[in-house]
């Protein structure tokens, strides 16, 4: 019995040791961070733009917003509207809302980063012409699936 237990322990130890693979990460190229801009336009809502920077996969730092960014929005090719309140943590809040069908261009610049630009059109609300609901018997649903 002791022999079997000793063989089992030795075999298990060898199996666990042989399952290890060391990967050298010293040669991984560290890419400089990039400017990250996140925003969603909704008709009638105030525009909120979140600005942060990307992190390397080897970086253990917390994700933080960039408060020193300059955020500009152009609506329908008009002048830039720069009425923004920096809410901290990289959130920039506009003092205006956008109308349906407006074409908006967001431009974000920050020191030591390439500028980021995005263009989008504010969607129109969909018109729901009607809706219907129908109760389905579970037995009918099962019969329909088995007949295929």
């Amino acid at each position: 019995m002791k022999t079997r237990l000793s063989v089992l322990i030795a075999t298990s130890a060898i199996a666990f040791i042989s399952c290890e693979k060391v990967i050298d990460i010293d040669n991984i190229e560290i890419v400089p961070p990039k400017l990250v801009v996140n925003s969603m336009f909704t008709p009638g809502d105030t525009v909120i733009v979140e600005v942060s920077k990307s992190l390397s996969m080897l970086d253990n730092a917390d994700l933080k917003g960039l408060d020193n960014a300059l955020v500009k929005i152009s609506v329908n090719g008009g002048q830039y509207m720069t009425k923004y309140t920096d809410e901290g943590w990289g959130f920039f809040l506009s003092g205006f809302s956008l109308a349906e069908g407006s074409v908006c261009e967001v431009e974000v610049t920050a020191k030591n980063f390439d500028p980021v630009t995005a263009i989008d059109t504010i969607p129109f609300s969909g018109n729901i012409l009607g809706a219907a609901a129908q109760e389905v018997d579970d037995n009918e649903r099962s019969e329909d699936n088995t007949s295929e």
Side-chain angles (χ1 to χ4, degrees):
M1 181 71 175
K2 279 187 169 183
T3 308
R4 284 186 180 181
L5 183 60
S6 298
V7 170
L8 180 64
I9 291 173
T11 305
S12 297
I14 291 171
F16 285 117
I17 292 172
S18 65
C19 291
E20 183 177 322
K21 181 175 183 181
V22 177
I23 299 174
D24 183 22
I25 61 171
D26 292 334
N27 297 329
I28 293 178
E29 179 184 350
I30 303 297
V31 178
K34 296 186 185 273
L35 197 58
V36 177
V37 179
N38 185 26
S39 183
M40 185 170 64
F41 302 131
T42 307
D45 286 346
T46 302
V47 178
I48 299 173
V49 178
E50 179 186 3
V51 182
S52 61
K53 67 177 183 174
S54 63
L55 295 175
S56 165
M57 66 181 189
L58 301 176
D59 195 344
N60 291 329
D62 292 333
L63 185 61
K64 295 180 183 175
L66 294 178
D67 296 332
N68 63 346
L70 175 62
V71 178
K72 298 178 184 178
I73 291 186
S74 172
V75 180
N76 296 324
Q79 294 293 322
Y80 282 105
M81 299 181 183
T82 56
K83 290 175 62 179
Y84 281 91
T85 305
D86 181 1
E87 297 294 312
W89 292 89
F91 285 93
F92 294 83
L93 180 65
S94 74
F96 57 90
S97 59
L98 300 169
E100 294 176 343
S102 298
V103 177
C104 296
E105 180 177 358
V106 176
E107 180 183 336
V108 180
T109 56
K111 186 177 180 179
N112 300 324
F113 291 98
D114 292 334
V116 174
T117 302
I119 299 174
D120 201 1
T121 302
I122 308 305
F124 286 94
S125 298
N127 292 328
I128 299 174
L129 301 176
Q134 179 180 358
E135 187 174 336
V136 177
D137 183 15
D138 286 338
N139 292 331
E140 290 177 20
R141 188 179 311 157
S142 296
E143 291 170 8
D144 289 343
N145 289 339
T146 57
S147 64
E148 292 178 3

